[in-house]
Amino acid sequence: MSTIVAISTALGNSGIGIIRMSGEECFEIISKIFKPKTKKIDIKPNTINYGHIVSGDEIVDEVLVSFFKAPKSFTTENMCEINSHGGIVIMNKILELCLKNGAQLAEPGEFTKRAFLNGRIDLTQAEAVIDIINAKTEKEAKASVKQLDGYLSEKLKNIKKKIMDILVDIEASIDYPEYDVEEVTSNKVLVTVEDIENDLLNLRKTFENGKLIKEGLKIAIIGRPNAGKSSLLNVILKEERAIVTEYEGTTRDTIEEFIQIDGIPIKIIDTAGIRETEDAVEKIGINKSKNIANEADLIIAIIDASKELNEEDRQILEFVEEKKAIILLNKVDLPMKISENDIKNITENKKILKISALNKEGIENIFNAISEMYRFNEIEIDDSLTITNNRHKDAIQNMIKHTKNVKESIQNNMPIDVITIYINEILNEIGNITGESVSEDIINEIFKKFCLGK
Ligand code: GDP
């Protein structure tokens, strides 16, 4: 395989930057551009050498270079990492020197892809690498680290072993029909397949939490103009446990903000930018809010409690009646014109909280209500494996379907070779998850999501 190179640290001005190289010619290339302070370059595995990157006679930067000899490296190939100063100009210059001397620019994720193709990690572990890099919360990072550690691979290996045992039994019953062991085999297969199905059902169960950990919740704040949506969002974002990043909303009139509550990522969609049009019939504002809210997991409906309920408030309350929602009575620092009962007359069984966005009162209660609603504190990933990846969930789902088919076929006294087909389908799905039997397209799709230099 060719020798690849990339800048592995984020491009920006920082203390140090790392340029990473992997492949057969990596040591040859580095020898041409690195002059150690000691007289001779000494490429010993797992050592760090101090010296200069040079371009002819010109010193480009003072660096540390670490060497990893095959197969004991991230990619299992010869690798070196140049720790330079973290300036964009310097890092690009060093990168260029590596390219000029025979390395090729790595594609996003290519180092990890090589680790996978060279058999050091399986696909679930490669996927874990990107999840660790992209983790938005500690819980997500923790779940991904476990996956990288091989928790899922191990579990699948166990299931695979059980399946291989079944296949050996079936093989024997086909090879030695005179012993008339088919019935015995069928019973044995049934017991093992039920056991496998149990394992799979337990794995699938973890996805509910896994999805929350990874994708979190989408919450929409709706309410009529001046109800206090923007004020609420501002206080939420100023709370200590909140604010991580801010990005443009998907629609022009909305803002999406990202916070976390008890380690769960929450995307808040603020519809404050949506204004009612002059045209009372059109009611664009409310309709648009409703559309956005329809896509949310949870709605926070905010009502200005210092004013009488008006038609718009009623519309909003009726809209959330059938949805997962929390209702906030805002502006309770002012004399209240709306009571909890007024709300309950329109929409029953909703959590109603009194707050003052202006005085920052009752905000903690909103967080607690959300946390309780979804039982965030019960989501623990310390001693169990959690499936967070949709691709894995789908494959597990398919495997469960195949186990059901196996069971049914046995119960219907189908010939053993038909049963074998379904059993092999389970094996195939395991291969899809671990990457042993996955298509190249899917592999490419997965590694495309990586950043450069990983
Ligand atoms: P939005 O149109 O729903 O985004 O509402 P804003 O957040 O812009 O608030 C509208 C007005 O209500 C502003 O003047 C806020 O200062 C005021 N406001 C918001 N929350 C409170 C509150 O809790 N108490 C009082 N007294 N005023 C509030």
Side-chain angles (χ1 to χ4, degrees):
M1 265 194 254
S2 59
T3 298
I4 50 171
V5 65
I7 296 172
S8 279
T9 40
L11 271 183
N13 297 334
S14 61
I16 59 163
I18 299 177
I19 296 107
R20 202 183 207 189
M21 203 159 31
S22 174
E24 231 167 279
E25 290 165 45
C26 144
F27 295 152
E28 214 180 301
I29 296 171
I30 193 75
S31 308
K32 289 184 197 159
I33 61 169
F34 175 61
K35 284 258 153 14
K37 279 279 177 173
T38 50
K39 269 175 227 117
K40 235 179 114 237
I41 188 162
D42 184 17
I43 300 177
K44 271 198 209 135
N46 307 324
T47 59
I48 297 180
N49 285 241
Y50 167 57
H52 289 125
I53 293 291
V54 293
S55 169
D57 293 334
E58 180 203 348
I59 290 177
V60 176
D61 194 16
E62 184 184 40
V63 298
L64 290 173
V65 180
S66 32
F67 298 109
F68 306 90
K69 256 191 186 154
K72 289 194 170 170
S73 75
F74 181 69
T75 59
T76 78
E77 302 168 344
N78 282 340
M79 281 187 83
C80 64
E81 288 181 5
I82 306 166
N83 289 235
S84 69
H85 288 102
I88 299 172
V89 175
I90 286 297
M91 286 194 286
N92 273 328
K93 180 110 197 220
I94 299 173
L95 178 73
E96 243 171 60
L97 280 172
C98 294
L99 294 172
K100 224 191 257 171
N101 283 285
Q104 284 175 17
L105 193 61
E107 285 177 15
E110 198 172 354
F111 291 95
T112 315
K113 191 176 183 179
R114 286 190 175 194
F116 163 65
L117 293 174
N118 294 334
R120 194 182 70 80
I121 54 173
D122 70 10
L123 202 52
T124 69
Q125 291 168 308
E127 287 171 304
V129 171
I130 185 167
D131 287 346
I132 291 172
I133 294 173
N134 293 338
K136 294 179 286 302
T137 64
E138 205 178 314
K139 276 202 169 94
E140 192 184 349
K142 235 184 200 174
S144 311
V145 168
K146 291 201 150 204
Q147 196 175 309
L148 177 64
D149 224 24
Y151 269 60
L152 178 57
S153 319
E154 200 52 42
K155 198 103 206 170
L156 294 171
K157 222 184 260 169
N158 282 340
I159 295 178
K160 190 170 172 181
K161 174 150 191 324
K162 289 178 190 171
I163 293 175
M164 294 317 265
D165 288 347
I166 295 180
L167 288 174
V168 168
D169 281 347
I170 290 179
E171 198 68 24
S173 79
I174 294 172
D175 289 349
Y176 304 101
E178 65 275 21
Y179 289 115
D180 197 20
V181 287
E182 190 150 323
E183 204 186 309
V184 180
T185 308
S186 295
N187 284 336
K188 226 167 133 189
V189 172
L190 194 62
V191 171
T192 315
V193 164
E194 267 169 4
D195 179 30
I196 292 172
E197 188 182 19
N198 243 346
D199 288 347
L200 292 169
L201 287 171
N202 283 334
L203 272 183
R204 187 179 64 182
K205 235 188 268 164
T206 68
F207 184 70
E208 215 172 287
N209 285 344
K211 192 169 176 302
L212 262 183
I213 290 168
K214 192 159 180 188
E215 291 170 24
L217 286 182
K218 212 170 171 185
I219 299 182
I221 304 179
I222 63 169
R224 67 168 148 113
N226 287 322
K229 297 181 291 297
S230 311
S231 310
L232 173 68
L233 187 70
N234 285 337
V235 258
I236 287 180
L237 295 180
K238 281 198 191 104
E239 281 286 307
E240 222 188 310
R241 63 209 274 196
I243 212 159
V244 182
T245 128
E246 183 177 327
Y247 49 98
E248 288 270 312
T250 44
T251 55
R252 202 161 41 90
D253 301 323
T254 63
I255 303 170
E256 288 179 2
E257 305 277 359
F258 177 77
I259 65 163
Q260 56 171 305
I261 299 176
D262 295 340
I264 301 298
I266 312 275
K267 190 194 268 182
I268 302 185
I269 311 156
D270 167 37
T271 57
I274 300 172
R275 293 277 168 219
E276 203 66 22
T277 51
E278 298 287 296
D279 187 346
V281 188
E282 212 180 356
K283 295 259 177 221
I284 282 184
I286 293 289
N287 281 339
K288 207 160 183 189
S289 299
K290 282 182 185 169
N291 282 342
I292 291 163
N294 269 330
E295 285 173 22
D297 302 298
L298 174 71
I299 297 171
I300 293 182
I302 180 163
I303 306 280
D304 181 346
S306 69
K307 298 211 170 83
E308 304 280 345
L309 272 180
N310 73 2
E311 182 48 32
E312 272 175 85
D313 293 326
R314 266 175 229 284
Q315 273 196 33
I316 286 172
L317 292 172
E318 278 163 16
F319 170 68
V320 299
E321 167 91 66
E322 298 295 316
K323 303 198 177 332
K324 239 184 165 153
I326 294 174
I327 292 160
L328 302 181
L329 287 178
N330 187 32
K331 310 197 188 180
V332 297
D333 52 294
L334 300 173
M336 284 176 68
K337 298 239 169 78
I338 300 172
S339 71
E340 279 189 37
N341 275 337
D342 295 334
I343 304 286
K344 282 182 183 153
N345 284 338
I346 304 174
T347 173
E348 281 177 311
N349 308 323
K350 289 279 177 302
K351 183 107 189 162
I352 303 169
L353 298 172
K354 292 183 186 153
I355 68 154
S356 165
L358 186 75
N359 295 344
K360 306 182 175 63
E361 270 165 35
I363 309 300
E364 194 68 21
N365 292 342
I366 307 174
F367 291 141
N368 292 340
I370 296 169
S371 181
E372 263 167 43
M373 226 168 184
Y374 291 88
R375 300 173 201 272
F376 285 170
N377 52 7
E378 287 175 22
I379 301 177
E380 273 311 327
I381 35 182
D382 283 337
D383 35 48
S384 61
L385 166 70
T386 311
I387 302 288
T388 57
N389 184 309
N390 263 315
R391 197 180 75 81
H392 303 166
K393 187 208 69 181
D394 290 347
I396 289 167
Q397 194 76 24
N398 288 341
M399 284 194 257
I400 292 170
K401 202 176 71 200
H402 299 313
T403 56
K404 289 197 189 326
N405 285 338
V406 174
K407 277 166 47 184
E408 255 178 51
S409 314
I410 294 175
Q411 274 144 9
N412 296 335
N413 289 322
M414 302 283 272
I416 204 100
D417 36 352
V418 174
I419 298 168
T420 315
I421 295 175
Y422 292 128
I423 293 175
N424 277 321
E425 293 282 2
I426 305 176
L427 269 189
N428 202 32
E429 288 293 349
I430 292 179
N432 273 338
I433 303 183
T434 60
E436 276 164 283
S437 56
V438 78
S439 76
E440 208 175 318
D441 286 352
I442 291 181
I443 291 175
N444 289 339
E445 212 41 54
I446 288 169
F447 286 99
K448 236 195 251 162
K449 293 186 207 139
F450 274 71
C451 41
L452 260 173
K454 190 60 219 174

